[in-house]
Amino acid sequence: MFAANFDYYRPATVAEAVQLLSTKENAKILAGGHSLIPAMKYRLAQPSALIDIGRIPELSGIRVEGGKLRIGAMTTHAAIAASADVKAHCPLLAEAADKIGDQMVRNRGTIGGAIVHADPAADYPPNLLALGGSVTAVGPNGSRTIDFAGFWTDLFTTALAPNEIVTEVTVNGYGKGTGGAYADLQHPASGYIVVGASAVVTVANGVCSKVSLVIGGATPNPVRASAAEAALTGKAPTAENIAAAAALAANGISNPIGDSFASGDYRVHLAKVLAKRALTQAAARAQ
Amino acid sequence: MKREVTITVNGVTHTRTVEPRLLLVHFLRDELGLTGTNIGCDSSQCGACTVHLDGQAVKSCTVLAVQADGCRVTTIEGLANGKLHPLQQAFWEKHGLQCGFCTPGMIMASADLLSRNPNPTEEEIRRGLEGNLCRCTGYQNIVAAVQAAAEMMKK
Ligand SMILES: Cc1cc2nc3c(=O)[nH]c(=O)nc-3n(C[C@H](O)[C@H](O)[C@H](O)COP(=O)(O)OP(=O)(O)OC[C@H]3O[C@@H](n4cnc5c(N)ncnc54)[C@H](O)[C@@H]3O)c2cc1C
Ligand code: FES
Ligand code: FES
């Protein structure tokens, strides 16, 4: 299948890419192309111009700074999954990256592209929201930081302005005393999640001092399970306490997505089951 | 707006003027006549089109030829080096194919897997090939072939 015709630009710098994005009619950024090219082949997307940011050196790479990971937007899922720095400072993110698609998809797809695409069934968003951090975006008026909590705004929609480019993703790392886990049910054909639960739990003196739990796949954007977090915070990570908290994991979900494979009710049910698994594993890893 | 691209395929450098929408798989098949790389789907799922781009396995139906400009590509035609590559030999010996349509992609994906993990478990092989679909074999002999190739490559 062929995409509709378009003009192709390959800027060497972020400034040049922003300039092109602002001046070319109906232009789109091309990163790894693993959401955009299939959409263009199906003619669900017909941009008039593609701005390929794949050859801008400063957009790739992973740095550790003050306990945070700073990941260039063009860093591939495979590079994140294999990174010793990510495995050491934020193993949950390496695990999430390694679950995406298959090896060939991970060799091309990028973290910037995945978060901007904002697929409700994508693996990064719930995990990034559970870990905490922010997105750096550059536009004609300079650079700004958008917290993950305000980044995903609707189905396939983000807070990014049409002329802004994501340059970096900053993710909070964690160390001893904290554990992270991601429990998901994958669609058997596509491999995308039906529902996924991401948990980050800190255990100190035998109690959960900090609990972060986010559900993806059930709604257009991932939602924080605040009631479940509050129920477990200050409690010992026992099976009963975790089960009681997980029972509240779908409280923040209204109008769940339903389709021929999984109804909204089933997704709500999955949210609770997967939350229990993720919290249990995260708490075990924290100790 | 056509673009000139220069791509080194199996060690030979080719320059062509192409439409930006031309997929790498069509560049290989239609421009260069390298038809070993197959097209099995429209949804980036089947892996029949797998080639190596700068040493990494990619689905060439989901890469534009212009994105591969200046890069090195290896296809199934470039894998044998005087004699069959151990993976080709092993797919033959273990009967890791029936119709053979998925085989070039299976072999290119397996080569990427073995380069990262020379000693994979059965589980790791199955997971490593999850992006490659086979409608004939039931995968059993494909896994056996990759295991056999891993042994041969150790020698
Ligand atoms: C077979 C297959 C299976 C997959 N399975 C999964 C899965 O299990 N889980 C999962 O999460 N994902 C999955 N994906 C999607 C994959 O993760 C994509 O790589 C990702 O969604 C998009 O990243 P990309 O770099 O390919 O972006 P592209 O496709 O190049 O771009 C996607 C969108 O983001 C915009 N964009 C890209 N980068 C930037 C930037 N830096 N600044 C501003 N805008 C930008 C583009 O304009 C476009 O609109 C799968 C894809 C395929 C083909
Ligand atoms: S042709 Fe099916 S993945 Fe490329
Ligand atoms: S051998 Fe026929 S598709 Fe695999």
Side-chain angles (χ1 to χ4, degrees):
Chain A
M1 271 196 308
F2 287 91
N5 257 321
F6 55 86
D7 289 337
Y8 173 82
Y9 301 91
R10 192 192 297 143
T13 63
V14 171
E16 204 188 318
V18 169
Q19 163 75 17
L20 284 163
L21 191 56
S22 304
T23 50
K24 298 295 167 197
E25 192 76 12
N26 187 21
K28 259 192 170 308
I29 295 292
L30 174 66
H34 270 52
S35 292
L36 186 53
I37 294 174
M40 288 171 64
K41 283 162 69 178
Y42 286 128
R43 308 224 172 177
L44 295 170
Q46 294 199 23
S48 315
L50 283 191
I51 299 159
D52 182 355
I53 57 171
R55 306 283 175 97
I56 303 179
E58 74 228 54
L59 288 183
S60 287
I62 300 168
R63 285 179 296 142
V64 188
E65 247 179 55
K68 291 177 196 289
L69 290 166
R70 304 191 60 167
I71 304 175
M74 278 302 300
T75 310
T76 61
H77 312 326
I80 292 172
S83 158
D85 279 335
V86 179
K87 286 183 193 168
H89 298 277
C90 195
L92 177 60
L93 186 65
E95 279 180 30
D98 200 44
K99 280 201 169 176
I100 296 175
D102 53 62
Q103 186 64 38
M104 285 83 84
V105 170
R106 294 191 290 272
N107 282 344
R108 291 297 291 172
T110 69
I111 188 166
I115 66 167
V116 175
H117 188 57
D119 192 312
D123 287 291
Y124 284 130
N127 286 287
L128 292 175
L129 195 54
L131 288 159
S134 61
V135 177
T136 307
V138 174
N141 303 320
S143 137
R144 66 176 177 132
T145 303
I146 310 166
D147 194 280
F148 292 146
F151 186 72
W152 294 285
T153 54
D154 206 341
L155 198 66
F156 296 106
T157 310
T158 69
L160 212 61
N163 54 9
E164 280 181 318
I165 295 177
V166 171
T167 55
E168 195 171 69
V169 180
T170 304
V171 190
N172 295 336
Y174 57 92
K176 222 172 143 20
T178 299
Y182 179 43
D184 63 333
L185 179 78
Q186 289 183 3
H187 188 286
S190 76
Y192 278 87
I193 58 166
V194 178
V195 174
S198 177
V200 182
V201 177
T202 304
V203 178
N205 305 319
V207 299
C208 300
S209 56
K210 205 164 163 248
V211 180
S212 180
L213 178 68
V214 175
I215 307 295
T219 44
N221 302 123
V223 284
R224 185 168 285 287
S226 309
E229 291 176 348
L232 191 58
T233 305
K235 303 255 172 65
T238 60
E240 301 76 54
N241 288 340
I242 287 173
L248 309 174
N251 280 20
I253 296 174
S254 51
N255 293 324
I257 297 171
D259 58 25
S260 55
F261 181 73
S263 67
D265 286 347
Y266 180 47
R267 281 173 212 254
V268 164
H269 170 73
L270 282 174
K272 299 180 212 172
V273 171
L274 297 169
K276 188 164 136 189
R277 285 184 202 162
L279 287 170
T280 304
Q281 193 177 21
R285 287 173 168 180
Q287 298 174 63
Chain B
M1 187 176 70
K2 289 198 174 186
R3 293 263 316 200
E4 190 177 279
V5 296
T6 300
I7 306 176
T8 301
V9 181
N10 302 330
V12 183
T13 300
H14 302 270
T15 299
R16 293 283 192 285
T17 301
V18 303
E19 284 187 339
R21 64 175 170 171
L22 185 74
L23 299 168
L24 179 58
V25 69
H26 291 299
F27 180 86
L28 297 171
R29 290 178 58 88
D30 305 343
E31 289 286 335
L32 305 187
L34 294 171
T35 52
T37 304
N38 286 332
I39 301 174
C41 74
D42 290 327
S43 53
S44 309
Q45 297 234 335
C46 76
C49 62
T50 303
V51 301
H52 293 184
L53 180 61
D54 282 344
Q56 285 193 320
V58 302
K59 292 177 171 175
S60 61
C61 72
T62 316
V63 176
L64 301 170
V66 287
Q67 287 178 291
D69 186 20
C71 298
R72 272 181 307 116
V73 172
T74 306
T75 69
I76 189 71
E77 290 93 341
L79 209 56
N81 182 7
K83 61 180 181 26
L84 289 182
H85 183 281
L87 275 162
Q88 293 171 309
Q89 187 71 37
F91 268 70
W92 181 355
E93 285 174 9
K94 297 290 172 188
H95 197 53
L97 60 143
Q98 287 176 22
C99 79
F101 192 84
C102 69
T103 314
M106 284 288 175
I107 288 180
M108 298 313 286
S110 301
D112 178 284
L113 169 69
L114 292 180
S115 74
R116 281 175 293 108
N117 179 359
N119 218 348
T121 62
E122 179 185 339
E123 179 63 30
E124 285 166 344
I125 294 171
R126 289 187 185 275
R127 192 162 182 261
L129 296 179
E130 71 189 329
N132 297 78
L133 302 182
C134 176
R135 304 209 295 186
C136 306
T137 64
Y139 302 97
Q140 210 64 17
N141 288 352
I142 291 176
V143 175
V146 178
Q147 284 170 324
E151 285 306 316
M152 280 187 231
M153 287 165 79
K154 274 184 226 155
K155 288 186 192 129

